[in-house]
Amino acid sequence: MLVYDPLDKTVRAWFHAEIEGPCFVVTITSLETGESNRAALLDCAYTLYRYLLFAKGVEIKQIQMMCPPSVSGRSHWVLEDLVSVTIVEGLESPDSAVMYRTSESMYKIGELDLRKKKRSRIIYSAQHLQDYDSKPNPQRLAPGPLQLYGPMQ
């Protein structure tokens, strides 16, 4: 597993990864090699949003949300198909929340009381996946050594 370390700004190879909170598993196929046994592991909704904006040269087959027991309320981790992610912000308070809708359930992370006045913004939906442009990045297809990129800061 390749893991980007933002402190050292390096990519490290690990035999395992430990995940504490909700994350997303994006099943991908490389347009360059045709390899379909690949996945991207993304740690938050914002990273998923950025991935859909900037990842080129891959076809996205499926997006799933992996939830720990502390979020799902179950006794074990769950992996469910992601339907939508919505950011909700209070109009009369600084509180906010993120709403995750999956094929099985709906999860809210944050302190916002949803009964109060609020505004919302959808940052992921099934339509986003349909609109995803998987055209190969011409720079990536150029011959040369493999390059690994970390998140933009």
Side-chain angles (χ1 to χ4, degrees), residues 11-28:
V11 176
R12 297 181 183 185
W14 297 86
F15 294 106
H16 75 284
E18 294 182 14
I19 300 164
E20 295 177 358
C23 66
F24 303 97
V25 179
V26 181
T27 305
I28 57 177

Side-chain angles (χ1 to χ4, degrees), residues 41 49 55 79 108 117 125 143 151:
L41 188 61
Y49 176 77
L79 183 63
K108 175 186 137 197
K117 290 184 181 181
S125 70

Side-chain angles (χ1 to χ4, degrees), residues 28-65:
I28 57 177
T29 297
S30 169
L31 295 178
E32 182 179 344
T33 65
E35 289 183 45
S36 61
N37 59 344
R38 299 176 67 186
L41 188 61
L42 308 171
D43 66 347
C44 70
Y46 181 71
T47 305
L48 173 64
Y49 176 77
R50 302 275 297 174
Y51 186 84
L52 291 174
L53 284 178
F54 295 107
K56 300 295 178 199
V58 295
E59 179 182 356
I60 297 177
K61 299 289 189 177
Q62 183 179 28
I63 299 177
Q64 297 173 297
M65 182 172 177

Side-chain angles (χ1 to χ4, degrees), residues 93-134:
S93 75
D95 295 336
S96 63
V98 181
M99 303 294 298
Y100 300 95
R101 181 173 300 212
T102 68
S103 57
E104 303 291 323
S105 194
M106 175 110 112
Y107 306 106
K108 175 186 137 197
I109 299 177
E111 299 301 319
L112 181 67
D113 182 349
L114 297 178
R115 297 171 293 180
K116 296 187 177 181
K117 290 184 181 181
K118 61 195 170 292
R119 68 173 167 242
S120 62
R121 181 172 42 112
I122 297 172
I123 64 168
Y124 171 78
S125 70
Q127 186 64 43
H128 286 100
L129 186 54
Q130 290 176 356
D131 293 344
Y132 173 73
D133 180 12
S134 62

